[in-house]
Amino acid sequence: MHTPTVKRTYLLWTCFLSCVSGTIQHATRQNTPPAITDPASLVLPFIGTTNGGHVFPGATLPHGMVKTGMDTDSPGNHAGYDGNSTFNATGFSQLHDSGTGGAVPLSNFKIWAFPNCTEFRHCPTSLDSRKVLRKVLPDGSPDDFASPGYFSTNLSNSMRVELTAARRTALHRYTFPLNTTEPRMLVDITNDGQRSGIDTTMTLDPMTGRVVGGASFAASFGPGRYNAFTCVDFKGEGFDLQKPTEWGAWLVDTPVLGTTNVAQIYLSFLNEAGGLLTFPPAPEGTQTKILARVGVSLVSTEQACQNAEEEIPDFDFERVHQDNRATWNDLLGRVQVDMTGVPLETAQLFYSSLYRSHISPADYTGENPKWNSSEPYYDSYYCNWDTYRTLYPLMSLHDPVVFSRIVRGMIDIQRHEGWLPECRGATAMHFIQGGSNADPILGEFFVKFNDQAESMNVSATDLYNALLADAELQPPNWNLQGRQVDLWKQLNYIPQDMFDAGGANTKQVSRTLEHAFNDFAISQVAKTMGNVEDGAKYSQRANNSFNVWNPDVVQPDRPDIQGMMQPRFANGTFNFTDPRHCSIHDPEQATCFLNAINRDGFYEGSPILYSQYAPHDTAQLLQLQGGVESFITRLDFIFNNNYFEATDEPSQQMPFMYHYANRPGLSTQRSRQVIAEFFNTSVNGLPGNDDSGAMGSYAAFYLLGLYPLPATRQFLLSSPYFPSISFFNPAFNSTTTIISNGFAGNPEDGTGGHVFVSNVTVNGEPYKSNCFLDWDVFTNGSTVELTLSEDINLTCGNGPDALPPSLSTGGYD
Ligand SMILES: *[C@@H]1O[C@H](CO)[C@@H](O)[C@H](O)[C@H]1NC(C)=O
Ligand SMILES: *[C@@H]1O[C@H](CO)[C@@H](O)[C@H](O)[C@H]1NC(C)=O
Ligand SMILES: *[C@@H]1O[C@H](CO)[C@@H](O)[C@H](O)[C@H]1NC(C)=O
Ligand SMILES: *[C@@H]1O[C@H](CO)[C@@H](O)[C@H](O)[C@H]1NC(C)=O
Ligand SMILES: *[C@@H]1O[C@H](CO)[C@@H](O)[C@H](O)[C@H]1NC(C)=O
Ligand SMILES: *[C@@H]1O[C@H](CO)[C@@H](O)[C@H](O)[C@H]1NC(C)=O
Ligand SMILES: *[C@@H]1O[C@H](CO)[C@@H](O)[C@H](O)[C@H]1NC(C)=O
Ligand SMILES: *[C@@H]1O[C@H](CO)[C@@H](O)[C@H](O)[C@H]1NC(C)=O
Ligand SMILES: *[C@@H]1O[C@H](CO)[C@@H](O)[C@H](O)[C@H]1NC(C)=O
Ligand SMILES: *[C@@H]1O[C@H](CO)[C@@H](O)[C@H](O)[C@H]1NC(C)=O
Ligand SMILES: *[C@@H]1O[C@H](CO)[C@@H](O)[C@H](O)[C@H]1NC(C)=O
Ligand SMILES: *[C@@H]1O[C@H](CO)[C@@H](O)[C@H](O)[C@H]1NC(C)=O
């Protein structure tokens, strides 16, 4: 976005590579590439910040609770910001999600500065009155800059605003235009993203300028509400700010001079309120810079103040920023790529995708108002349905300790609420999407880290009990808590015509397929624990995917494409949903979004897409679809006719499915075509919402030449976009390296190229498959060497274990 800075980064890296490794072109793979010590410089936080990406580009720690950023009046301001300069800035708020849908979440406690409103009582305090455009650069983009842990903007009223963050506290720096005589600071208590604040409190201290307050706000994607509190202190930078010269509470556009409490002026039907302060300016000839330290808590104003005082006692903007960036560099630097012969944009796309995989969920430990516990508390699971496929398997590779804390937090939620979280934001349950999709997340953790679980303080017993609650106990409101368990156990699918109290008559086919995968994850945990009986029981339930397979339904105009996942009634007969339903070819132009009157059975995907969805048993799917040739024909039909949905998670595995037909080259090409078509480093660089990092982690895997199946010990293998990649895993203190011998660059449109894997060795020994790697490869710090070729027709290999596992072929044991 901010062109000059991007160019600086580019020059730095060009120099770095040519200075350190001599030549950018054909460096031999024998030399260790220079370590990327400042991966944060390769992160472009503005990717996906306009036209529906809803990405948060402001300042946060990895999984930080406080995500401080600019809010705009864009209709797509789900993360506050919009990269389109036609939208006005409305405030700089403290909490955000990233890449979500629903109603605009969070965006609480906006701070605003007035450089020159003529008179205190005439300051335009309401959100609509105060907003201003940003400065616009010659290329039409706004004068905004962002890097991990830092955001800055120049507004058209000549205010400059910079933001950085600790975990629960933001630090803002407001630089006023030279000669500002009456710098004023506004604290907005009520205007979250939905303008939903009620039960507002606000008091200000005229002696210190401290403003504290809070309100009750609406949840984003469900019926609940949550309380949030703030504590704001101001300090001059480079001068002594002294106490305010004017102060008062404000209501809509009316600041009332001399008031200290919003209760003195509050009218319940006018719900915009906050505090306004005028400070003495910096000495003449120097610029007035005011720091605002903004503590946040979901418990109380006292705790918000305590958080601020503990986390940022010194108001030192540069220190907070540097600490934050160092934390990001430590995390991102665990994955190293060799950039030799690879365009800078590819490395930027990779590290930006990795970065976005660590925004959510957020670490709200100590801020859970619902119960006291010494366990970690994470929130902003928005939603597990989106993230379970790729985000957590990516964490397995390089961030296991945070992963273990998230798992502990989920188990603690189950202990207190009865069911694991599925969709959740700001402590409120949101509508479920597929069922209980924390199951494959816990499964992913336990199947891979069962030997380390105890030392990471994850109780295997509690983990398993939490899974069993999802699988066996009918919740009072499955629409918020998980699954339609009783019918699932009785019928072995979710029927279209029985929906239980509290639920909604929606997405029955999709839920059947997700419930089956949830049970697959449980079966893998049971087997890992040595519980043979439960392993068999839940494997059997995983097979329920195929109970909604109707072999008679045919794709219109394609009699050779026969058999589809379809809605089924409780009496066993099938209803019919057109295979094209809610695709771009749907004659009815339906969407398959969450909607209580949506009776078609499908969620964010057409029947023909969901007919590819049984990730734990693709071998069985392939048989049902008529064998290898017709399976490939069907996949090609889906891609060549634009049925594939790059924005919706059930499609994520599809480009890699050719692996199961022993045609890994076709997967390599499809996955690379998907990256070329749908992902780039621009503000428009995402096909849709980032979905709390679901798309970021998905793109990261594709660029790494890997694709995971959660709750298993395998990763599907293709070729990375870099001549070598490595993962440092703190749980094992080991580094795994994947080297592509004969790396010759990446085809720009993803088609063809010298990118197909013809041979794999691990630590110099021939490997059993060219199509997948076992988890062991990643735990003991192996060196994986790939031989590349231009032959797209290569297979997975000739050995008995060359094909990736599937449940029906005896896999995963
Ligand atoms: C920015 O938004 C305006 C609508 O406010 C729209 O007309 C314009 O096309 C958008 N610009 C870009 C570059 O997307
Ligand atoms: C920005 O604010 C100005 C002034 O209030 C208004 O005229 C304009 O329509 C706003 N822009 C958008 C995109 O709403
Ligand atoms: C804003 O203006 C300052 C100079 O006043 C400049 O250093 C900075 O690069 C500009 N842009 C951003 C996004 O901060
Ligand atoms: C405030 O400053 C801005 C930018 O310098 C200017 O456009 C505007 O007219 C000023 N307003 C007042 C009330 O002085
Ligand atoms: C600030 O005030 C000084 C002295 O009054 C004047 O010389 C200078 O032009 C002013 N600067 C701006 C940006 O208004
Ligand atoms: C947590 O403990 C504190 C201190 O004992 C108590 O004031 C608070 O009410 C407790 N919170 C809950 C939700 O039980
Ligand atoms: C596990 O708990 C122990 C004792 O409370 C603590 O010392 C240790 O740091 C914890 N380990 C992790 C990974 O959280
Ligand atoms: C099965 O149930 C559906 C929907 O309730 C009904 O329309 C259909 O007639 C039933 N079929 C049989 C064979 O009972
Ligand atoms: C059968 O499917 C149609 C089309 O989606 C739907 O309108 C109807 O309600 C379904 N029948 C039952 C009994 O659910
Ligand atoms: C991790 O491995 C490195 C060598 O690869 C070794 O120097 C270091 O001591 C190990 N750390 C721990 C905690 O075992
Ligand atoms: C793969 O490479 C290894 C090491 O060079 C070699 O021993 C093995 O024969 C190769 N396998 C195939 C199928 O070419
Ligand atoms: C791959 O197979 C196709 C048809 O089966 C053939 O046309 C093509 O030439 C083959 N490619 C290579 C590199 O052998």
Side-chain angles (χ1 to χ4, degrees):
M1 151 122 339
H2 191 58
T3 320
T5 308
V6 170
K7 281 202 182 112
R8 268 205 306 279
T9 312
Y10 179 78
L11 288 174
L12 178 76
W13 277 99
T14 307
C15 171
F16 187 58
L17 286 172
S18 45
C19 302
V20 176
S21 56
T23 162
I24 300 185
Q25 290 306 312
H26 291 281
T28 54
R29 282 294 334 112
Q30 265 51 316
N31 302 328
T32 309
I36 297 174
T37 54
D38 187 22
S41 65
L42 294 168
V43 173
L44 304 177
F46 289 118
I47 293 172
T49 54
T50 194
N51 289 344
H54 297 176
V55 166
F56 169 73
T60 179
L61 281 166
H63 306 280
M65 176 171 111
V66 155
K67 300 189 195 304
T68 181
M70 173 197 280
D71 296 336
T72 63
D73 60 2
S74 162
N77 62 353
H78 286 62
Y81 187 81
D82 196 311
N84 181 330
S85 62
T86 64
F87 297 110
N88 292 282
T90 59
F92 298 88
S93 70
Q94 322 312 321
L95 298 175
H96 292 94
D97 286 327
S98 186
T100 62
V104 176
L106 303 171
S107 300
N108 318 70
F109 307 131
K110 299 174 210 298
I111 307 292
W112 190 249
F114 292 108
N116 64 353
C117 53
T118 48
E119 233 185 299
F120 187 92
R121 66 194 176 94
H122 289 143
C123 285
T125 44
S126 76
L127 191 140
D128 287 332
S129 303
R130 71 186 183 230
K131 66 187 182 182
V132 302
L133 291 168
R134 288 160 280 179
K135 282 195 173 146
V136 182
L137 298 171
D139 69 354
S141 66
D143 191 3
D144 298 336
F145 172 79
S147 62
Y150 178 80
F151 177 93
S152 69
T153 184
N154 290 312
L155 299 177
S156 58
N157 64 3
S158 295
M159 282 301 308
R160 174 164 160 79
V161 184
E162 295 163 277
L163 308 172
T164 189
R167 181 166 74 89
R168 292 179 280 181
T169 311
L171 191 60
H172 302 204
R173 178 159 59 198
Y174 293 85
T175 303
F176 288 78
L178 204 60
N179 298 350
T180 297
T181 55
E182 290 177 305
R184 291 192 174 93
M185 297 300 308
L186 170 143
V187 178
D188 182 339
I189 301 290
T190 54
N191 281 310
D192 65 330
Q194 297 174 54
R195 303 194 183 198
S196 72
I198 55 169
D199 300 337
T200 311
T201 63
M202 191 289 298
T203 56
L204 60 84
D205 182 342
M207 298 310 291
T208 61
R210 171 173 279 191
V211 179
V212 299
S216 158
F217 300 99
S220 165
F221 193 54
R225 296 188 75 84
Y226 65 98
N227 298 323
F229 304 93
T230 192
C231 175
V232 189
D233 292 294
F234 300 97
K235 193 170 188 297
E237 192 177 83
F239 75 108
D240 182 5
L241 187 63
Q242 301 169 21
K243 59 182 191 178
T245 55
E246 296 171 315
W247 60 86
W250 59 269
L251 200 62
V252 194
D253 276 323
T254 310
V256 182
L257 193 63
T259 53
T260 58
N261 192 323
V262 76
Q264 293 167 289
I265 61 168
Y266 194 64
L267 300 166
S268 62
F269 58 92
L270 295 172
N271 67 354
E272 276 190 77
L276 181 66
L277 305 164
T278 310
F279 288 102
E284 211 181 312
T286 57
Q287 232 167 349
T288 299
K289 293 187 181 192
I290 296 181
L291 296 159
R293 182 184 69 183
V294 192
V296 180
S297 171
L298 299 192
V299 173
S300 65
T301 54
E302 291 75 20
Q303 188 157 320
C305 293
Q306 196 183 324
N307 292 342
E309 286 159 8
E310 280 173 18
E311 292 182 351
I312 311 187
D314 54 4
F315 283 77
D316 185 340
F317 193 94
E318 312 312 333
R319 178 197 67 78
V320 176
H321 175 202
Q322 291 316 320
D323 286 359
N324 184 314
R325 188 177 176 107
T327 306
W328 276 109
N329 273 333
D330 171 62
L331 174 62
L332 300 174
R334 292 177 201 164
V335 187
Q336 289 282 327
V337 301
D338 178 1
M339 291 165 63
T340 310
V342 180
L344 175 69
E345 285 73 11
T346 307
Q348 289 174 326
L349 187 61
F350 173 70
Y351 280 107
S352 303
S353 302
L354 186 62
Y355 170 81
R356 291 203 312 280
S357 309
H358 293 284
I359 307 277
S360 299
D363 185 352
Y364 283 33
T365 301
E367 298 299 334
N368 178 6
K370 298 191 167 175
W371 60 86
N372 284 319
S373 167
S374 57
E375 285 299 277
Y377 180 79
Y378 282 72
D379 207 304
S380 286
Y381 296 110
Y382 196 180
C383 303
N384 288 343
W385 179 86
D386 298 282
T387 55
Y388 81 82
R389 296 171 177 80
T390 52
L391 191 140
Y392 295 94
L394 188 59
M395 281 186 127
S396 291
L397 290 170
H398 72 293
D399 201 15
V401 175
V402 170
F403 189 7
S404 74
R405 289 172 49 81
I406 292 169
V407 165
R408 287 165 60 192
M410 286 189 176
I411 294 170
D412 206 45
I413 289 173
Q414 189 275 329
R415 277 191 204 106
H416 289 89
E417 295 184 351
W419 288 269
L420 288 164
E422 155 45 18
C423 207
R424 194 181 187 88
T427 76
M429 286 179 218
H430 291 178
F431 298 121
I432 67 108
Q433 309 209 26
S436 42
N437 287 323
D439 299 353
I441 297 173
L442 267 55
E444 168 68 11
F445 179 81
F446 195 77
V447 167
K448 293 203 171 79
F449 297 100
N450 58 310
D451 288 340
Q452 290 75 35
E454 196 180 330
S455 65
M456 292 182 182
N457 298 331
V458 175
S459 155
T461 310
D462 292 0
L463 180 144
Y464 196 59
N465 286 340
L467 293 174
L468 291 185
D470 275 352
E472 300 297 336
L473 302 178
Q474 173 77 30
N477 185 345
W478 62 261
N479 206 22
L480 294 171
Q481 288 150 327
R483 304 203 219 173
Q484 236 175 319
V485 170
D486 287 346
L487 281 167
W488 177 241
K489 289 197 285 190
Q490 184 191 327
L491 297 172
N492 297 312
Y493 57 92
I494 299 299
Q496 197 182 22
D497 51 349
M498 293 171 76
F499 56 98
D500 298 327
N505 190 14
T506 61
K507 51 191 184 335
Q508 298 87 351
V509 180
S510 306
R511 286 193 290 124
T512 296
L513 299 172
E514 294 289 358
H515 287 26
F517 192 76
N518 299 161
D519 281 341
F520 167 73
I522 297 174
S523 76
Q524 297 309 298
V525 172
K527 288 177 188 176
T528 303
M529 294 175 131
N531 184 338
V532 176
E533 197 181 322
D534 280 10
K537 171 182 169 181
Y538 290 106
S539 286
Q540 185 60 42
R541 277 167 53 163
N543 204 45
N544 288 352
S545 302
F546 304 102
N547 291 340
V548 288
W549 177 262
N550 183 342
D552 300 327
V553 173
V554 173
Q555 176 72 18
D557 305 324
R558 284 299 297 256
D560 59 323
I561 298 178
Q562 184 175 350
M564 297 282 166
M565 300 293 183
Q566 286 286 292
R568 196 171 184 186
F569 298 124
N571 63 19
T573 64
F574 282 99
N575 199 348
F576 173 74
T577 300
D578 188 320
R580 300 167 298 181
H581 190 73
C582 68
S583 75
I584 61 165
H585 304 292
D586 180 4
E588 294 175 359
Q589 298 191 311
T591 66
C592 283
F593 298 136
L594 191 61
N595 181 336
I597 58 159
N598 188 351
R599 297 289 155 83
D600 48 47
F602 293 88
Y603 182 61
E604 294 194 6
S606 55
I608 190 170
L609 289 185
Y610 270 104
S611 298
Q612 299 307 106
Y613 194 70
H616 51 293
D617 203 350
T618 305
Q620 186 168 177
L621 206 54
L622 183 148
Q623 290 309 320
L624 287 171
Q625 296 183 359
V628 165
E629 287 313 316
S630 61
F631 182 75
I632 292 174
T633 299
R634 191 189 281 233
L635 281 172
D636 286 346
F637 173 81
I638 287 170
F639 286 105
N640 297 339
N641 294 282
N642 297 316
Y643 281 99
F644 174 71
E645 290 265 9
T647 64
D648 291 328
E649 285 73 10
S651 292
Q652 285 185 331
Q653 187 202 19
M654 215 168 288
F656 264 85
M657 289 182 83
Y658 297 95
H659 269 58
Y660 294 90
N662 207 11
R663 292 296 305 275
L666 298 177
S667 300
T668 299
Q669 179 162 292
R670 282 291 179 208
S671 62
R672 285 169 172 265
Q673 287 169 338
V674 166
I675 291 290
E677 187 175 356
F678 298 106
F679 293 87
N680 63 58
T681 55
S682 77
V683 288
N684 279 312
L686 290 178
N689 289 349
D690 195 48
D691 287 331
S692 302
M695 289 297 153
S697 50
Y698 167 62
F701 267 118
Y702 275 28
L703 293 165
L704 292 168
L706 296 169
Y707 191 79
L709 181 57
T712 72
R713 293 169 72 89
Q714 282 82 31
F715 291 89
L716 299 180
L717 175 68
S718 176
S719 62
Y721 279 57
F722 304 95
S724 86
I725 58 173
S726 67
F727 305 90
F728 172 69
N729 194 320
F732 310 107
N733 191 28
S734 69
T735 299
T736 302
T737 304
I738 302 179
I739 297 170
S740 294
N741 289 315
F743 179 84
N746 304 303
E748 210 161 288
D749 65 356
T751 306
H754 189 79
V755 295
F756 304 106
V757 178
S758 65
N759 191 4
V760 177
T761 64
V762 175
N763 297 327
E765 296 296 318
Y767 198 61
K768 62 185 172 186
S769 171
N770 292 340
C771 278
F772 69 94
L773 294 173
D774 280 332
W775 174 235
D776 300 349
V777 168
F778 294 91
T779 63
N780 48 29
S782 306
T783 299
V784 180
E785 289 188 69
L786 312 180
T787 307
L788 301 182
S789 143
E790 283 171 14
D791 185 358
I792 196 173
N793 297 328
L794 288 161
T795 68
C796 293
N798 300 321
D801 299 320
L803 280 181
S806 277
L807 206 50
S808 59
T809 53
Y812 310 116
D813 286 333

